[in-house]
Amino acid sequence: ANQRTTLMLQRISYELDEAGVRAILDARGFAGKYNAVYVPEKSSKRANLGYAFVNFEGPDFAALCISTCSGTHFGRADPSRICLVAYSRAQGLAFMSQRIVGGARRSQRAAMCRGHTESHQDRCL
């Protein structure tokens, strides 16, 4: 049986942050059915990278999100951005916690390492 609960929502509107993703999920009937959302942001913090990760309370809710959200606009209606939803390769709350904490650290490191030569980049990663 499928026990996967973590999804990757691709091709979401670039202006969405975590609160925006949560608001859309809640409006589509998923309030209380997920327990973590992670939206990677560009280092400028003015836009996301076009995708988000969501961990659901159970596999049935994740499957329902795939059927409900795939093929729809997720955020501002842009004809070229139709949401694709798939299971994340990594699964669970532990993964989500690492992404959230690790994403913040990577953003800080990237900001500190801008302008370094390629030979010094390995020290920044």
PDB file of all heavy atoms in Angstrom, residues 14-51:
ATOM      1  N   TYR A  14       5.086  32.321  -8.837  1.00  0.00           N
ATOM      2  CA  TYR A  14       6.330  32.745  -8.202  1.00  0.00           C
ATOM      3  C   TYR A  14       6.135  33.647  -6.988  1.00  0.00           C
ATOM      4  O   TYR A  14       6.992  33.718  -6.122  1.00  0.00           O
ATOM      5  CB  TYR A  14       7.232  33.463  -9.206  1.00  0.00           C
ATOM      6  CG  TYR A  14       7.801  32.556 -10.260  1.00  0.00           C
ATOM      7  CD1 TYR A  14       7.445  32.713 -11.593  1.00  0.00           C
ATOM      8  CD2 TYR A  14       8.683  31.532  -9.926  1.00  0.00           C
ATOM      9  CE1 TYR A  14       7.973  31.874 -12.571  1.00  0.00           C
ATOM     10  CE2 TYR A  14       9.203  30.685 -10.897  1.00  0.00           C
ATOM     11  CZ  TYR A  14       8.849  30.874 -12.210  1.00  0.00           C
ATOM     12  OH  TYR A  14       9.361  30.045 -13.170  1.00  0.00           O
ATOM     13  N   GLU A  15       5.009  34.331  -6.899  1.00  0.00           N
ATOM     14  CA  GLU A  15       4.821  35.261  -5.781  1.00  0.00           C
ATOM     15  C   GLU A  15       4.363  34.578  -4.495  1.00  0.00           C
ATOM     16  O   GLU A  15       4.334  35.203  -3.440  1.00  0.00           O
ATOM     17  CB  GLU A  15       3.833  36.374  -6.159  1.00  0.00           C
ATOM     18  CG  GLU A  15       2.371  35.972  -6.110  1.00  0.00           C
ATOM     19  CD  GLU A  15       1.865  35.231  -7.350  1.00  0.00           C
ATOM     20  OE1 GLU A  15       2.627  35.085  -8.324  1.00  0.00           O
ATOM     21  OE2 GLU A  15       0.705  34.801  -7.339  1.00  0.00           O
ATOM     22  N   LEU A  16       4.022  33.310  -4.554  1.00  0.00           N
ATOM     23  CA  LEU A  16       3.521  32.618  -3.363  1.00  0.00           C
ATOM     24  C   LEU A  16       4.625  32.354  -2.349  1.00  0.00           C
ATOM     25  O   LEU A  16       5.717  31.917  -2.695  1.00  0.00           O
ATOM     26  CB  LEU A  16       2.888  31.277  -3.746  1.00  0.00           C
ATOM     27  CG  LEU A  16       1.579  31.335  -4.512  1.00  0.00           C
ATOM     28  CD1 LEU A  16       1.145  29.941  -4.928  1.00  0.00           C
ATOM     29  CD2 LEU A  16       0.498  32.006  -3.682  1.00  0.00           C
ATOM     30  N   ASP A  17       4.305  32.610  -1.092  1.00  0.00           N
ATOM     31  CA  ASP A  17       5.174  32.213   0.007  1.00  0.00           C
ATOM     32  C   ASP A  17       4.448  31.091   0.758  1.00  0.00           C
ATOM     33  O   ASP A  17       3.411  30.601   0.306  1.00  0.00           O
ATOM     34  CB  ASP A  17       5.500  33.399   0.928  1.00  0.00           C
ATOM     35  CG  ASP A  17       4.254  34.065   1.498  1.00  0.00           C
ATOM     36  OD1 ASP A  17       3.125  33.540   1.343  1.00  0.00           O
ATOM     37  OD2 ASP A  17       4.408  35.130   2.123  1.00  0.00           O
ATOM     38  N   GLU A  18       4.996  30.690   1.899  1.00  0.00           N
ATOM     39  CA  GLU A  18       4.382  29.599   2.653  1.00  0.00           C
ATOM     40  C   GLU A  18       2.931  29.908   3.019  1.00  0.00           C
ATOM     41  O   GLU A  18       2.049  29.057   2.869  1.00  0.00           O
ATOM     42  CB  GLU A  18       5.183  29.326   3.923  1.00  0.00           C
ATOM     43  CG  GLU A  18       4.639  28.180   4.743  1.00  0.00           C
ATOM     44  CD  GLU A  18       5.408  27.956   6.030  1.00  0.00           C
ATOM     45  OE1 GLU A  18       6.649  27.917   5.987  1.00  0.00           O
ATOM     46  OE2 GLU A  18       4.752  27.815   7.074  1.00  0.00           O
ATOM     47  N   ALA A  19       2.659  31.112   3.465  1.00  0.00           N
ATOM     48  CA  ALA A  19       1.289  31.488   3.837  1.00  0.00           C
ATOM     49  C   ALA A  19       0.352  31.428   2.630  1.00  0.00           C
ATOM     50  O   ALA A  19      -0.804  31.010   2.747  1.00  0.00           O
ATOM     51  CB  ALA A  19       1.275  32.887   4.457  1.00  0.00           C
ATOM     52  N   GLY A  20       0.848  31.823   1.466  1.00  0.00           N
ATOM     53  CA  GLY A  20       0.034  31.778   0.249  1.00  0.00           C
ATOM     54  C   GLY A  20      -0.302  30.354  -0.162  1.00  0.00           C
ATOM     55  O   GLY A  20      -1.431  30.058  -0.572  1.00  0.00           O
ATOM     56  N   VAL A  21       0.678  29.456  -0.062  1.00  0.00           N
ATOM     57  CA  VAL A  21       0.440  28.041  -0.384  1.00  0.00           C
ATOM     58  C   VAL A  21      -0.572  27.456   0.596  1.00  0.00           C
ATOM     59  O   VAL A  21      -1.515  26.767   0.206  1.00  0.00           O
ATOM     60  CB  VAL A  21       1.761  27.240  -0.373  1.00  0.00           C
ATOM     61  CG1 VAL A  21       1.491  25.737  -0.457  1.00  0.00           C
ATOM     62  CG2 VAL A  21       2.667  27.690  -1.518  1.00  0.00           C
ATOM     63  N   ARG A  22      -0.397  27.765   1.881  1.00  0.00           N
ATOM     64  CA  ARG A  22      -1.346  27.276   2.889  1.00  0.00           C
ATOM     65  C   ARG A  22      -2.763  27.799   2.616  1.00  0.00           C
ATOM     66  O   ARG A  22      -3.742  27.050   2.730  1.00  0.00           O
ATOM     67  CB  ARG A  22      -0.900  27.703   4.291  1.00  0.00           C
ATOM     68  CG  ARG A  22       0.304  26.946   4.804  1.00  0.00           C
ATOM     69  CD  ARG A  22       0.735  27.483   6.196  1.00  0.00           C
ATOM     70  NE  ARG A  22       1.902  26.813   6.677  1.00  0.00           N
ATOM     71  CZ  ARG A  22       1.903  25.645   7.329  1.00  0.00           C
ATOM     72  NH1 ARG A  22       0.765  25.036   7.568  1.00  0.00           N
ATOM     73  NH2 ARG A  22       3.031  25.113   7.732  1.00  0.00           N
ATOM     74  N   ALA A  23      -2.881  29.065   2.237  1.00  0.00           N
ATOM     75  CA  ALA A  23      -4.200  29.653   1.970  1.00  0.00           C
ATOM     76  C   ALA A  23      -4.893  28.940   0.804  1.00  0.00           C
ATOM     77  O   ALA A  23      -6.102  28.652   0.868  1.00  0.00           O
ATOM     78  CB  ALA A  23      -4.060  31.146   1.683  1.00  0.00           C
ATOM     79  N   ILE A  24      -4.143  28.630  -0.240  1.00  0.00           N
ATOM     80  CA  ILE A  24      -4.734  27.923  -1.387  1.00  0.00           C
ATOM     81  C   ILE A  24      -5.132  26.504  -0.995  1.00  0.00           C
ATOM     82  O   ILE A  24      -6.233  26.040  -1.329  1.00  0.00           O
ATOM     83  CB  ILE A  24      -3.772  27.933  -2.582  1.00  0.00           C
ATOM     84  CG1 ILE A  24      -3.638  29.365  -3.119  1.00  0.00           C
ATOM     85  CG2 ILE A  24      -4.252  26.991  -3.684  1.00  0.00           C
ATOM     86  CD1 ILE A  24      -2.544  29.545  -4.143  1.00  0.00           C
ATOM     87  N   LEU A  25      -4.250  25.807  -0.289  1.00  0.00           N
ATOM     88  CA  LEU A  25      -4.596  24.455   0.159  1.00  0.00           C
ATOM     89  C   LEU A  25      -5.841  24.467   1.038  1.00  0.00           C
ATOM     90  O   LEU A  25      -6.739  23.631   0.873  1.00  0.00           O
ATOM     91  CB  LEU A  25      -3.422  23.822   0.917  1.00  0.00           C
ATOM     92  CG  LEU A  25      -2.212  23.430   0.074  1.00  0.00           C
ATOM     93  CD1 LEU A  25      -1.041  23.042   0.978  1.00  0.00           C
ATOM     94  CD2 LEU A  25      -2.562  22.296  -0.887  1.00  0.00           C
ATOM     95  N   ASP A  26      -5.905  25.409   1.967  1.00  0.00           N
ATOM     96  CA  ASP A  26      -7.065  25.498   2.857  1.00  0.00           C
ATOM     97  C   ASP A  26      -8.343  25.768   2.060  1.00  0.00           C
ATOM     98  O   ASP A  26      -9.382  25.157   2.315  1.00  0.00           O
ATOM     99  CB  ASP A  26      -6.856  26.590   3.907  1.00  0.00           C
ATOM    100  CG  ASP A  26      -5.790  26.239   4.931  1.00  0.00           C
ATOM    101  OD1 ASP A  26      -5.258  25.097   4.897  1.00  0.00           O
ATOM    102  OD2 ASP A  26      -5.448  27.128   5.747  1.00  0.00           O
ATOM    103  N   ALA A  27      -8.261  26.679   1.078  1.00  0.00           N
ATOM    104  CA  ALA A  27      -9.429  27.018   0.257  1.00  0.00           C
ATOM    105  C   ALA A  27      -9.892  25.828  -0.575  1.00  0.00           C
ATOM    106  O   ALA A  27     -11.081  25.720  -0.899  1.00  0.00           O
ATOM    107  CB  ALA A  27      -9.103  28.199  -0.654  1.00  0.00           C
ATOM    108  N   ARG A  28      -9.000  24.910  -0.872  1.00  0.00           N
ATOM    109  CA  ARG A  28      -9.342  23.727  -1.666  1.00  0.00           C
ATOM    110  C   ARG A  28      -9.734  22.532  -0.788  1.00  0.00           C
ATOM    111  O   ARG A  28      -9.849  21.414  -1.253  1.00  0.00           O
ATOM    112  CB  ARG A  28      -8.187  23.367  -2.589  1.00  0.00           C
ATOM    113  CG  ARG A  28      -7.983  24.443  -3.648  1.00  0.00           C
ATOM    114  CD  ARG A  28      -6.969  24.077  -4.667  1.00  0.00           C
ATOM    115  NE  ARG A  28      -6.813  25.165  -5.618  1.00  0.00           N
ATOM    116  CZ  ARG A  28      -6.013  25.130  -6.662  1.00  0.00           C
ATOM    117  NH1 ARG A  28      -5.291  24.046  -6.908  1.00  0.00           N
ATOM    118  NH2 ARG A  28      -5.913  26.173  -7.467  1.00  0.00           N
ATOM    119  N   GLY A  29      -9.934  22.799   0.510  1.00  0.00           N
ATOM    120  CA  GLY A  29     -10.455  21.763   1.402  1.00  0.00           C
ATOM    121  C   GLY A  29      -9.414  20.968   2.171  1.00  0.00           C
ATOM    122  O   GLY A  29      -9.750  19.954   2.783  1.00  0.00           O
ATOM    123  N   PHE A  30      -8.163  21.433   2.198  1.00  0.00           N
ATOM    124  CA  PHE A  30      -7.110  20.674   2.871  1.00  0.00           C
ATOM    125  C   PHE A  30      -6.724  21.225   4.252  1.00  0.00           C
ATOM    126  O   PHE A  30      -5.744  20.767   4.833  1.00  0.00           O
ATOM    127  CB  PHE A  30      -5.867  20.585   1.976  1.00  0.00           C
ATOM    128  CG  PHE A  30      -6.100  19.747   0.759  1.00  0.00           C
ATOM    129  CD1 PHE A  30      -6.338  20.335  -0.464  1.00  0.00           C
ATOM    130  CD2 PHE A  30      -6.120  18.366   0.845  1.00  0.00           C
ATOM    131  CE1 PHE A  30      -6.569  19.569  -1.598  1.00  0.00           C
ATOM    132  CE2 PHE A  30      -6.360  17.580  -0.275  1.00  0.00           C
ATOM    133  CZ  PHE A  30      -6.586  18.186  -1.505  1.00  0.00           C
ATOM    134  N   ALA A  31      -7.493  22.171   4.770  1.00  0.00           N
ATOM    135  CA  ALA A  31      -7.197  22.704   6.106  1.00  0.00           C
ATOM    136  C   ALA A  31      -7.185  21.568   7.117  1.00  0.00           C
ATOM    137  O   ALA A  31      -8.087  20.730   7.143  1.00  0.00           O
ATOM    138  CB  ALA A  31      -8.229  23.757   6.498  1.00  0.00           C
ATOM    139  N   GLY A  32      -6.115  21.503   7.930  1.00  0.00           N
ATOM    140  CA  GLY A  32      -5.992  20.469   8.946  1.00  0.00           C
ATOM    141  C   GLY A  32      -5.562  19.114   8.411  1.00  0.00           C
ATOM    142  O   GLY A  32      -5.451  18.155   9.180  1.00  0.00           O
ATOM    143  N   LYS A  33      -5.308  19.012   7.110  1.00  0.00           N
ATOM    144  CA  LYS A  33      -4.946  17.727   6.514  1.00  0.00           C
ATOM    145  C   LYS A  33      -3.465  17.643   6.142  1.00  0.00           C
ATOM    146  O   LYS A  33      -3.012  16.628   5.638  1.00  0.00           O
ATOM    147  CB  LYS A  33      -5.813  17.461   5.293  1.00  0.00           C
ATOM    148  CG  LYS A  33      -7.282  17.330   5.679  1.00  0.00           C
ATOM    149  CD  LYS A  33      -8.181  17.158   4.493  1.00  0.00           C
ATOM    150  CE  LYS A  33      -9.622  17.060   4.987  1.00  0.00           C
ATOM    151  NZ  LYS A  33     -10.584  17.235   3.919  1.00  0.00           N
ATOM    152  N   TYR A  34      -2.724  18.721   6.392  1.00  0.00           N
ATOM    153  CA  TYR A  34      -1.282  18.732   6.147  1.00  0.00           C
ATOM    154  C   TYR A  34      -0.603  19.285   7.386  1.00  0.00           C
ATOM    155  O   TYR A  34      -1.223  19.978   8.192  1.00  0.00           O
ATOM    156  CB  TYR A  34      -0.921  19.549   4.895  1.00  0.00           C
ATOM    157  CG  TYR A  34      -1.370  20.982   4.947  1.00  0.00           C
ATOM    158  CD1 TYR A  34      -0.541  21.970   5.469  1.00  0.00           C
ATOM    159  CD2 TYR A  34      -2.628  21.354   4.507  1.00  0.00           C
ATOM    160  CE1 TYR A  34      -0.947  23.289   5.537  1.00  0.00           C
ATOM    161  CE2 TYR A  34      -3.049  22.664   4.569  1.00  0.00           C
ATOM    162  CZ  TYR A  34      -2.208  23.628   5.077  1.00  0.00           C
ATOM    163  OH  TYR A  34      -2.623  24.937   5.145  1.00  0.00           O
ATOM    164  N   ASN A  35       0.690  18.976   7.562  1.00  0.00           N
ATOM    165  CA  ASN A  35       1.375  19.410   8.778  1.00  0.00           C
ATOM    166  C   ASN A  35       2.674  20.154   8.516  1.00  0.00           C
ATOM    167  O   ASN A  35       3.331  20.585   9.460  1.00  0.00           O
ATOM    168  CB  ASN A  35       1.626  18.214   9.700  1.00  0.00           C
ATOM    169  CG  ASN A  35       2.270  17.061   8.970  1.00  0.00           C
ATOM    170  OD1 ASN A  35       2.997  17.245   8.007  1.00  0.00           O
ATOM    171  ND2 ASN A  35       1.986  15.850   9.429  1.00  0.00           N
ATOM    172  N   ALA A  36       3.054  20.321   7.258  1.00  0.00           N
ATOM    173  CA  ALA A  36       4.258  21.086   6.954  1.00  0.00           C
ATOM    174  C   ALA A  36       4.216  21.575   5.513  1.00  0.00           C
ATOM    175  O   ALA A  36       3.744  20.858   4.621  1.00  0.00           O
ATOM    176  CB  ALA A  36       5.512  20.239   7.171  1.00  0.00           C
ATOM    177  N   VAL A  37       4.701  22.798   5.309  1.00  0.00           N
ATOM    178  CA  VAL A  37       4.816  23.393   3.977  1.00  0.00           C
ATOM    179  C   VAL A  37       6.188  24.049   3.897  1.00  0.00           C
ATOM    180  O   VAL A  37       6.611  24.748   4.822  1.00  0.00           O
ATOM    181  CB  VAL A  37       3.723  24.464   3.736  1.00  0.00           C
ATOM    182  CG1 VAL A  37       3.939  25.196   2.418  1.00  0.00           C
ATOM    183  CG2 VAL A  37       2.333  23.841   3.774  1.00  0.00           C
ATOM    184  N   TYR A  38       6.884  23.814   2.791  1.00  0.00           N
ATOM    185  CA  TYR A  38       8.174  24.453   2.558  1.00  0.00           C
ATOM    186  C   TYR A  38       8.182  25.017   1.145  1.00  0.00           C
ATOM    187  O   TYR A  38       7.916  24.298   0.179  1.00  0.00           O
ATOM    188  CB  TYR A  38       9.314  23.451   2.731  1.00  0.00           C
ATOM    189  CG  TYR A  38      10.664  24.004   2.327  1.00  0.00           C
ATOM    190  CD1 TYR A  38      11.172  25.173   2.889  1.00  0.00           C
ATOM    191  CD2 TYR A  38      11.433  23.350   1.377  1.00  0.00           C
ATOM    192  CE1 TYR A  38      12.410  25.671   2.510  1.00  0.00           C
ATOM    193  CE2 TYR A  38      12.676  23.840   1.000  1.00  0.00           C
ATOM    194  CZ  TYR A  38      13.152  25.007   1.566  1.00  0.00           C
ATOM    195  OH  TYR A  38      14.376  25.502   1.193  1.00  0.00           O
ATOM    196  N   VAL A  39       8.458  26.316   1.029  1.00  0.00           N
ATOM    197  CA  VAL A  39       8.513  27.000  -0.256  1.00  0.00           C
ATOM    198  C   VAL A  39       9.912  27.596  -0.403  1.00  0.00           C
ATOM    199  O   VAL A  39      10.200  28.633   0.193  1.00  0.00           O
ATOM    200  CB  VAL A  39       7.436  28.108  -0.356  1.00  0.00           C
ATOM    201  CG1 VAL A  39       7.473  28.769  -1.728  1.00  0.00           C
ATOM    202  CG2 VAL A  39       6.049  27.536  -0.069  1.00  0.00           C
ATOM    203  N   PRO A  40      10.787  26.955  -1.170  1.00  0.00           N
ATOM    204  CA  PRO A  40      12.130  27.524  -1.365  1.00  0.00           C
ATOM    205  C   PRO A  40      12.035  28.879  -2.061  1.00  0.00           C
ATOM    206  O   PRO A  40      11.260  29.038  -3.006  1.00  0.00           O
ATOM    207  CB  PRO A  40      12.833  26.509  -2.267  1.00  0.00           C
ATOM    208  CG  PRO A  40      12.029  25.268  -2.175  1.00  0.00           C
ATOM    209  CD  PRO A  40      10.622  25.690  -1.869  1.00  0.00           C
ATOM    210  N   GLU A  41      12.807  29.827  -1.567  1.00  0.00           N
ATOM    211  CA  GLU A  41      12.781  31.175  -2.131  1.00  0.00           C
ATOM    212  C   GLU A  41      14.098  31.506  -2.794  1.00  0.00           C
ATOM    213  O   GLU A  41      15.145  30.989  -2.411  1.00  0.00           O
ATOM    214  CB  GLU A  41      12.516  32.194  -1.023  1.00  0.00           C
ATOM    215  CG  GLU A  41      11.166  32.049  -0.368  1.00  0.00           C
ATOM    216  CD  GLU A  41      10.980  33.051   0.760  1.00  0.00           C
ATOM    217  OE1 GLU A  41      11.980  33.536   1.321  1.00  0.00           O
ATOM    218  OE2 GLU A  41       9.826  33.338   1.077  1.00  0.00           O
ATOM    219  N   LYS A  42      14.026  32.385  -3.786  1.00  0.00           N
ATOM    220  CA  LYS A  42      15.245  32.907  -4.383  1.00  0.00           C
ATOM    221  C   LYS A  42      15.954  33.721  -3.319  1.00  0.00           C
ATOM    222  O   LYS A  42      15.346  34.209  -2.374  1.00  0.00           O
ATOM    223  CB  LYS A  42      14.913  33.786  -5.590  1.00  0.00           C
ATOM    224  CG  LYS A  42      14.323  33.005  -6.738  1.00  0.00           C
ATOM    225  CD  LYS A  42      14.048  33.895  -7.912  1.00  0.00           C
ATOM    226  CE  LYS A  42      13.443  33.074  -9.043  1.00  0.00           C
ATOM    227  NZ  LYS A  42      13.167  33.886 -10.216  1.00  0.00           N
ATOM    228  N   SER A  43      17.249  33.897  -3.473  1.00  0.00           N
ATOM    229  CA  SER A  43      18.016  34.615  -2.447  1.00  0.00           C
ATOM    230  C   SER A  43      17.530  36.039  -2.266  1.00  0.00           C
ATOM    231  O   SER A  43      17.697  36.622  -1.214  1.00  0.00           O
ATOM    232  CB  SER A  43      19.503  34.589  -2.786  1.00  0.00           C
ATOM    233  OG  SER A  43      19.725  35.176  -4.046  1.00  0.00           O
ATOM    234  N   SER A  44      16.878  36.605  -3.281  1.00  0.00           N
ATOM    235  CA  SER A  44      16.356  37.967  -3.163  1.00  0.00           C
ATOM    236  C   SER A  44      15.129  38.026  -2.263  1.00  0.00           C
ATOM    237  O   SER A  44      14.715  39.102  -1.855  1.00  0.00           O
ATOM    238  CB  SER A  44      15.982  38.506  -4.549  1.00  0.00           C
ATOM    239  OG  SER A  44      14.882  37.767  -5.069  1.00  0.00           O
ATOM    240  N   LYS A  45      14.530  36.851  -1.965  1.00  0.00           N
ATOM    241  CA  LYS A  45      13.331  36.728  -1.116  1.00  0.00           C
ATOM    242  C   LYS A  45      12.103  37.415  -1.720  1.00  0.00           C
ATOM    243  O   LYS A  45      11.122  37.634  -1.045  1.00  0.00           O
ATOM    244  CB  LYS A  45      13.578  37.299   0.291  1.00  0.00           C
ATOM    245  CG  LYS A  45      14.674  36.610   1.031  1.00  0.00           C
ATOM    246  CD  LYS A  45      14.187  35.352   1.654  1.00  0.00           C
ATOM    247  CE  LYS A  45      15.275  34.790   2.537  1.00  0.00           C
ATOM    248  NZ  LYS A  45      14.960  33.550   3.107  1.00  0.00           N
ATOM    249  N   ARG A  46      12.171  37.779  -2.990  1.00  0.00           N
ATOM    250  CA  ARG A  46      11.015  38.416  -3.623  1.00  0.00           C
ATOM    251  C   ARG A  46      10.167  37.431  -4.408  1.00  0.00           C
ATOM    252  O   ARG A  46       9.095  37.768  -4.869  1.00  0.00           O
ATOM    253  CB  ARG A  46      11.479  39.543  -4.544  1.00  0.00           C
ATOM    254  CG  ARG A  46      12.103  40.663  -3.764  1.00  0.00           C
ATOM    255  CD  ARG A  46      12.358  41.844  -4.624  1.00  0.00           C
ATOM    256  NE  ARG A  46      12.982  42.879  -3.805  1.00  0.00           N
ATOM    257  CZ  ARG A  46      13.939  43.647  -4.227  1.00  0.00           C
ATOM    258  NH1 ARG A  46      14.391  43.549  -5.458  1.00  0.00           N
ATOM    259  NH2 ARG A  46      14.445  44.559  -3.425  1.00  0.00           N
ATOM    260  N   ALA A  47      10.677  36.204  -4.570  1.00  0.00           N
ATOM    261  CA  ALA A  47       9.947  35.202  -5.337  1.00  0.00           C
ATOM    262  C   ALA A  47      10.395  33.810  -4.906  1.00  0.00           C
ATOM    263  O   ALA A  47      11.504  33.625  -4.416  1.00  0.00           O
ATOM    264  CB  ALA A  47      10.215  35.395  -6.826  1.00  0.00           C
ATOM    265  N   ASN A  48       9.506  32.850  -5.121  1.00  0.00           N
ATOM    266  CA  ASN A  48       9.889  31.469  -4.856  1.00  0.00           C
ATOM    267  C   ASN A  48      10.531  30.878  -6.111  1.00  0.00           C
ATOM    268  O   ASN A  48      10.627  31.540  -7.146  1.00  0.00           O
ATOM    269  CB  ASN A  48       8.684  30.656  -4.371  1.00  0.00           C
ATOM    270  CG  ASN A  48       7.651  30.453  -5.455  1.00  0.00           C
ATOM    271  OD1 ASN A  48       7.949  29.998  -6.555  1.00  0.00           O
ATOM    272  ND2 ASN A  48       6.398  30.796  -5.157  1.00  0.00           N
ATOM    273  N   LEU A  49      10.950  29.637  -6.030  1.00  0.00           N
ATOM    274  CA  LEU A  49      11.615  28.968  -7.148  1.00  0.00           C
ATOM    275  C   LEU A  49      10.635  28.238  -8.068  1.00  0.00           C
ATOM    276  O   LEU A  49      11.042  27.527  -8.967  1.00  0.00           O
ATOM    277  CB  LEU A  49      12.666  27.988  -6.621  1.00  0.00           C
ATOM    278  CG  LEU A  49      13.826  28.631  -5.863  1.00  0.00           C
ATOM    279  CD1 LEU A  49      14.748  27.564  -5.293  1.00  0.00           C
ATOM    280  CD2 LEU A  49      14.596  29.583  -6.767  1.00  0.00           C
ATOM    281  N   GLY A  50       9.338  28.396  -7.813  1.00  0.00           N
ATOM    282  CA  GLY A  50       8.333  27.787  -8.675  1.00  0.00           C
ATOM    283  C   GLY A  50       7.829  26.442  -8.192  1.00  0.00           C
ATOM    284  O   GLY A  50       7.086  25.763  -8.902  1.00  0.00           O
ATOM    285  N   TYR A  51       8.224  26.059  -6.973  1.00  0.00           N
ATOM    286  CA  TYR A  51       7.738  24.794  -6.438  1.00  0.00           C
ATOM    287  C   TYR A  51       7.661  24.862  -4.920  1.00  0.00           C
ATOM    288  O   TYR A  51       8.226  25.747  -4.292  1.00  0.00           O
ATOM    289  CB  TYR A  51       8.608  23.612  -6.881  1.00  0.00           C
ATOM    290  CG  TYR A  51      10.052  23.686  -6.457  1.00  0.00           C
ATOM    291  CD1 TYR A  51      10.473  23.106  -5.263  1.00  0.00           C
ATOM    292  CD2 TYR A  51      10.999  24.324  -7.245  1.00  0.00           C
ATOM    293  CE1 TYR A  51      11.799  23.170  -4.870  1.00  0.00           C
ATOM    294  CE2 TYR A  51      12.336  24.391  -6.865  1.00  0.00           C
ATOM    295  CZ  TYR A  51      12.726  23.808  -5.676  1.00  0.00           C
ATOM    296  OH  TYR A  51      14.036  23.873  -5.280  1.00  0.00           O
TER     297      TYR A  51
END
